[in-house]
Amino acid sequence: MGRRNQTVVSEFLLLGLPIEPEQRILFYALFLVMYLTTVVGNFIIIILIQLDSHLHAPMYLFLGNLSFSDLCFSSVTIPKLLQTMQNPVPSIPYTGCLAQMYFFLPFADLESFLLVIMAYDRYVAICFPLHYTTVMSPQLCLCLVALSWVLTTFISLLHTLFMARLSFCADNVIPHFFCDMSALLKLACSDIQINEMMIFILGGLVIIVPFLLIFSSYARTVFSILKVRSARGIRKAFSTCGSHLSVLSLFYGTIIGLYLCPSADNSTVKETVMAVMYTMVTPMLNPFIYSLRNQDIKGALGRVFSKGYFTFLWASDSKD
C-alpha cells in the first residue's frame, strides 16, 4: 500500500510499430510522406479560408477548425513515431508521456464534435435552405466552435489528472507508438476502475453520441434529396455522403473498437494498426474529402494563386 500513490517509473519505452528492420526505411518514408501530405493539405485549407472572403461562411469556419484540429492531431503523434523509428532506445519521460496524452485527447475529441456540427450544417443547408442564414447565425456558429474547444480541453484535463494519480511500478514498456490511454492503463499497478469508468462515460459523450447524430443527419439529408427525384441530385448526394461516411466509419469504427468495445482477441499488432488508421489516415484524407473536392475551395485556390498571394509570401520570406 505504501507504493500505491508513488510513481516509480520515470520514463517509458515506446516500442513503436511492429516493423521488420529491413522494412523500417520504407515505412519511415511512407509515414513521412503521409504526415507531410496531412500538414500541407490542412495548411492550404486554413490559409485559403483566411485569405478568400468568399469562404467567410459558417461551413468554412468549421472546415478551418477541422483542418487545424487534424494538423495538431497528427503533429502530436507522428513526429514522435518518426523519431522512435530512428532511435535504438525510444524512450519518453513520464511527464512527456502525460503531456502527449493531454494534447492528443482534445484534438481527437474536437474532431468528433466538429464533424457533428458540420453534418448539422449540411443538413440545415440542404433541407431548410431558406432558413439557413437564420438558423446558422454567426453567433451560433462561434458558440458551437467555442463550446467544442472548452469541452474537449476539460475532458482531456480530466483524463490526464486521473491518469496522473496512478502508479507505474513494474513494466515501463509501451507496445505502441504513442502514449495511448489504453496502453498506459495496462501498465498501471494501482486501481484503474475510475479511469475505465471515465473512458466509458466520457467516451459515450464524445464518440457514441456524435456518431449517432452524424449518421442521423446524413440519413435525413439523403431522404430529403431523394424526395426531389432529381437523378443528378441523387448521384451527387450519394457521392458526397458516401465519401463522408466512409471516412467517418473509419474514424469512429477504429476508436469505438479500441476504447469502448475492446476485445480480448485484439492483439497488440491489431490495436496498433487500428490506431494508425485514425491518427494518420483520417487526418490525411479529411482535406481531400471535405475541402479539396469542394468547388468553392477550388475557386478560392484559383483566385489566391491568380492574385499572387503565395508568390508575395515567398518573396517576403526571401527578403527576410
Side-chain angles (χ1 to χ4, degrees), residues 246-264:
S246 62
V247 176
L248 290 169
S249 300
L250 178 65
F251 178 72
Y252 283 106
T254 52
I255 290 180
I256 291 173
L258 276 173
Y259 298 110
L260 299 185
C261 302
S263 173

Side-chain angles (χ1 to χ4, degrees), residues 112-113 115-121 123 204-221 245 248 252:
S112 184
F113 285 169
L115 291 174
V116 174
I117 299 172
M118 290 168 61
Y120 178 70
D121 176 76
Y123 166 69
L205 174 64
V206 301
I207 299 175
I208 300 299
V209 174
F211 176 79
L212 296 175
L213 290 175
I214 288 172
F215 275 80
S216 174
S217 295
Y218 277 111
R220 290 174 177 269
T221 302
L245 291 175
L248 290 169
Y252 283 106

Side-chain angles (χ1 to χ4, degrees), residues 74-229:
S74 298
S75 298
V76 172
T77 56
I78 300 182
K80 183 61 180 178
L81 168 63
L82 296 174
Q83 180 188 10
T84 300
M85 295 180 71
Q86 291 186 322
N87 194 338
V89 185
S91 63
I92 182 172
Y94 170 79
T95 54
C97 194
L98 289 183
Q100 186 185 49
M101 191 188 81
Y102 172 76
F103 286 106
F104 172 82
L105 290 173
F107 294 117
D109 296 342
L110 180 63
E111 179 156 348
S112 184
F113 285 169
L114 289 173
L115 291 174
V116 174
I117 299 172
M118 290 168 61
Y120 178 70
D121 176 76
R122 290 299 84 204
Y123 166 69
V124 175
I126 294 174
C127 300
F128 306 98
L130 298 179
H131 302 282
Y132 178 77
T133 54
T134 303
V135 176
M136 301 302 294
S137 63
Q139 294 81 3
L140 175 63
C141 296
L142 290 174
C143 286
L144 290 174
V145 172
L147 182 62
S148 299
W149 277 96
V150 171
L151 282 177
T152 53
T153 303
F154 177 70
I155 291 172
S156 174
L157 180 62
L158 280 180
H159 280 303
T160 306
L161 291 176
F162 277 99
M163 184 66 70
R165 59 178 281 278
L166 299 179
S167 299
F168 300 91
C169 310
D171 191 7
N172 70 333
V173 178
I174 301 177
H176 217 302
F177 62 91
F178 70 97
C179 292
D180 182 59
M181 274 196 305
S182 60
L184 284 173
L185 290 179
K186 293 177 181 178
L187 300 181
C189 59
S190 51
D191 188 8
I192 62 172
Q193 288 185 352
I194 297 179
N195 298 75
E196 292 177 334
M197 182 180 67
M198 293 291 292
I199 290 176
F200 277 98
I201 294 175
L202 297 179
L205 174 64
V206 301
I207 299 175
I208 300 299
V209 174
F211 176 79
L212 296 175
L213 290 175
I214 288 172
F215 275 80
S216 174
S217 295
Y218 277 111
R220 290 174 177 269
T221 302
V222 170
F223 288 146
S224 177
I225 293 176
L226 289 176
K227 293 179 182 179
V228 179
R229 299 183 183 276

Side-chain angles (χ1 to χ4, degrees), residues 237-249 288-290 293:
F238 278 103
S239 174
T240 302
C241 294
S243 59
H244 288 192
L245 291 175
S246 62
V247 176
L248 290 169
S249 300
F288 299 97
I289 297 298
Y290 287 98
R293 295 178 63 198

